[in-house]
Every structure is written in C-alpha cells, then in structure tokens.
Amino acid sequence: MTEDTSNSPAPRALLDQGSVVISVDAMGGDNGPSAVVAGMAESADKNPEIRFIVHGDEAQLRRLIGRRKHLIDRCDIRHAPGVVTMEDKPSQIVRKGGDTSMWAAIESVKQGEAEVAVSCGNTGALMALSMLRLRKLPGVNRPAIACLWPSRNVQGFNIMLDVGADIKADAPDLLQYALMGASYARNGLDIERPRVGLLNVGTEEHKGRAEMKQANDLIAAAADEANFDYVGFVEGGDLPGSRVDVIVTDGFTGNIALKTGEGTAKLIGEFMRGAFRNSIMSKFAALLAMSSLKRLQKRIDPRRVNGGVFLGLNGTVVKSHGAADATGISAAIKLAFQLAKSGFQDRLAARVAQSAGISSGASDVEAAS
C-alpha cells in the first residue's frame, strides 16, 4: 500500500541552498500529469534554483518523474488521490475536495512549505479553494486574476486585471486592482514605474458609469505615492498598444476581452494557414517568408504568456491554461519563480494596505460633503 505523505514536511534538500519551492497540482488540466511533469522538466533544465512539491497520484508521478533523472532529487512527491475535473462545481470542491491534488497544492503554500502554487485545473475551483485556504489579504474585498496580453510595448506584454475572478467591481476594488497590477508589473515585468489605465467606453472624463468616474479620481490620487503613472481612461484598442503597461477593469469585461482576444488570434492563425495553402504560388511565398512567419508565431504564441496570477490573497497562485502543453506549463512555472524571487507577495500586501487607507480617506471626504 502506498504511504500517504500529504502532511509530511518538505525534505530539507528542497528548502536549502536558497532555492525557490513551487507547489504543483500535477493532476489538473486537459493533458494530465505527463504534460505537467514535462513542463517541470523544462523549467528544471533552465533554472537550477527551482524545487518542486508535486501533488497527485504517487504511482503515476514516481513513474513520470523517474524517467527524468535530473528531476528526481528536486521533487517531493505528495500523494493526493482526488482530482478536480473541469466539470466540478467550485462549491462541491470547497465542501468535499480535501483529498484532491489542487487542495494539497494550495495547502503547501498556506503551510509555508512553498512560495507559489501552480495549477492547470478548474479556474473557479482553484479560486474558491485559494480564497478558502489562503484567505484574502486584509483590506481586499475582491481578489483579481491578472493576465499578460501581447503588446507593442518594449517588454512585449501588458497586464490586464481582473479577467474573471469576480464579475463585479466598485471604485475601491478598481483602485486595489490598479495598485496590485502596478506591483505585478514591477515584479513580474521589471517595469520601474508602470503606466496604468482604466478601461472604459471612451477616453473622455465624462464617459462611463458613476463608479468609473469615482475610480478614476481614486487611482489618480494614489499614483504618485504608489509609484506609477496614471494615464486615465483607455479603450479596447489600447489592450495590445503601447500607451499603458497595466489595464484595470472588472472581471466581467476583462474575461470577455480575454476570450475574444484568444478567439481572434486563433481565427487569424487559421486564415493565414488557409491563405498560404491556397495555391502553388502561395505555398512558395510561405517558404520564402518562413523565417519571418516563425518569428511572428513565437511573438504571438499564447504559451509564452501562459499563467494568470491570483492577486489579493495571503499567498501567490498561478493559474496555467487548462490545455497547456509542456512549453506553456514551463512558462507558468517561470512566472511563479520570478514572482517568488522578487518578494512579490510582501510588496503586494503593502500596496493593498495602502489602498485601504486611500479608500477610507475618500469615503470620509464623501460622507462629509
């Protein structure tokens, strides 16, 4: 019988040598543990500082990890018999998911054994468990999911949040998103003074709902102290542009924008393939343009920006795309490593505390007026 080591402490080898320990839900996602372990192997090849606590079916994981000798000494395998599927309802997992690999991966962060948790699993269940086990940072009303968006900026990406953690967001929530997004930009993209914009139906100050105008004022007032530049309202066309580094919006709008962008990128790819297969001459043209096409493919490859970060919790969680392959999972692990090395969680907590003070002051002024 396999020993259940779900509550055992991480071996000292994982925690010594200044390494970064990442907790991995190996059973989540569409491609199963083989893709997850392959992504871990890619990350281990590139970065000797990474160590893993891997949660899932122990027999499968020992077999998969055992095939990669360089991974064996860098992994602590924790047996978790339960699996969260894409069809599971978050409420069910919160009540009955204590034996799952997703629960165990988050628990390792809560217990301080790992700095970041990474999962390809069900987004709703992952957020629900993260909120249950890690709890929200003091002062946070609604956590957010931040994603990277390919852009014309020097860094190649913009940050957008929220993209689906909560469909609602009032003015203080949007202020918190701005502060958290700016902190993420500094620590995840190395942007010393990020430019922040608030997504709206137009750039004019008189446009948008009342809470948008209030959020505009709150974010503008916080910019100098929080060390970012506020550019005001931005529109959908600015998402891939070079005007801003961080786009702030509510989860309803952000998730629709994200899914629209993914669908559009897929459609353009299909159109391009169809165009180059249309005739002998177009196939010949494709051969001549092969190097340029490969550069373009790499630039817009969604696997390179795989990893949505849960912001506003007492711990860092990175959500990998459910259909991610080894390359995508490796990118999510790289992001998790970079955030852990930067001390992102402590800095984020400081910014959230700052936003609570700003929001409180604004409320007092509004009540007195």
Side-chain angles (χ1 to χ4, degrees):
M1 180 177 177
T2 301
E3 181 183 358
D4 185 348
T5 59
S6 58
N7 295 314
S8 63
R12 291 303 309 172
L14 291 179
L15 303 176
D16 290 342
Q17 305 167 358
S19 59
V20 171
V21 182
I22 297 175
S23 179
V24 179
D25 168 18
M27 310 307 289
D30 299 333
N31 297 318
S34 59
V36 175
V37 172
M40 291 166 50
E42 282 192 21
S43 297
D45 283 339
K46 298 172 184 176
N47 193 334
E49 292 184 78
I50 295 179
R51 302 292 185 272
F52 300 101
I53 302 176
V54 196
H55 306 269
D57 182 270
E58 185 173 6
Q60 289 190 62
L61 293 177
R62 289 203 180 280
R63 183 173 65 254
L64 291 168
I65 292 171
R67 296 171 184 168
R68 297 169 170 84
K69 302 301 181 184
H70 66 292
L71 264 186
I72 295 175
D73 293 335
R74 296 167 65 175
C75 293
D76 176 19
I77 300 173
R78 306 284 182 87
H79 181 60
V83 177
V84 177
T85 70
M86 294 300 181
E87 291 74 33
D88 285 332
K89 294 181 178 179
S91 57
Q92 295 174 335
I93 300 303
V94 165
R95 292 195 304 269
K96 302 178 181 179
D99 68 339
T100 64
S101 55
M102 182 182 287
W103 184 298
I106 296 168
E107 195 68 19
S108 286
V109 174
K110 179 183 179 182
Q111 298 301 326
E113 297 176 314
E115 285 95 330
V116 188
V118 175
S119 175
C120 304
N122 182 318
T123 303
L126 185 62
M127 175 57 80
L129 285 182
S130 297
M131 290 180 63
L132 175 69
R133 305 308 300 159
L134 299 177
R135 301 295 183 182
K136 294 181 290 187
L137 284 169
V140 169
N141 183 32
R142 294 184 174 96
I145 303 175
C147 75
L148 296 177
W149 195 290
S151 77
R152 300 185 189 93
N153 275 326
V154 175
Q155 67 270 14
F157 309 107
N158 291 333
I159 294 169
M160 185 169 71
L161 73 163
D162 177 26
V163 294
D166 199 312
I167 63 172
K168 298 179 181 179
D170 57 20
D173 295 327
L174 294 170
L175 167 62
Q176 287 185 344
Y177 294 172
L179 292 171
M180 293 192 297
S183 182
Y184 179 16
R186 275 188 291 269
N187 295 284
L189 298 180
D190 296 321
I191 304 172
E192 185 175 347
R193 191 174 176 90
R195 297 163 299 162
V196 176
L198 182 60
L199 190 62
N200 198 6
V201 294
T203 58
E204 298 86 353
E205 289 193 4
H206 67 273
K207 288 193 173 181
R209 303 186 305 272
E211 60 265 29
M212 296 295 291
K213 298 173 185 177
Q214 184 184 0
N216 181 61
D217 295 338
L218 287 174
I219 297 171
D224 285 341
E225 186 178 351
N227 192 33
F228 65 82
D229 293 323
Y230 182 54
V231 304
F233 291 135
V234 296
E235 298 177 290
D238 294 309
L239 297 182
S242 57
R243 187 182 173 204
V244 292
D245 305 299
V246 178
I247 299 104
V248 174
T249 188
D250 60 82
F252 182 86
T253 306
N255 190 261
I256 290 176
L258 176 64
K259 298 298 174 59
T260 302
E262 291 176 347
T264 301
K266 183 177 180 181
L267 180 65
I268 291 172
E270 292 173 355
F271 281 171
M272 288 182 65
R273 285 190 293 271
F276 282 120
R277 293 170 181 165
N278 189 49
S279 67
I280 295 296
M281 290 302 295
S282 61
K283 291 178 181 178
F284 181 66
L287 288 174
L288 293 177
M290 187 62 68
S291 60
S292 296
L293 289 173
K294 285 183 177 179
R295 285 196 298 271
L296 174 62
Q297 183 183 35
K298 184 177 180 181
R299 178 76 183 272
I300 64 175
D301 187 350
R303 299 178 302 174
R304 296 175 59 239
V305 293
N306 181 45
V309 182
F310 290 3
L311 303 177
L313 302 171
N314 285 299
T316 305
V317 178
V318 174
K319 168 64 175 71
S320 169
H321 197 289
D325 60 5
T327 300
I329 291 165
S330 178
I333 292 172
K334 178 182 178 181
L335 175 59
F337 171 82
Q338 186 169 353
L339 292 176
K341 286 287 286 186
S342 70
F344 170 66
Q345 186 60 37
D346 291 338
R347 298 179 186 185
L348 180 65
R351 289 304 179 198
V352 168
Q354 177 189 5
S355 77
I358 295 170
S359 298
S360 177
S363 299
D364 291 343
V365 170
E366 187 174 313
S369 62

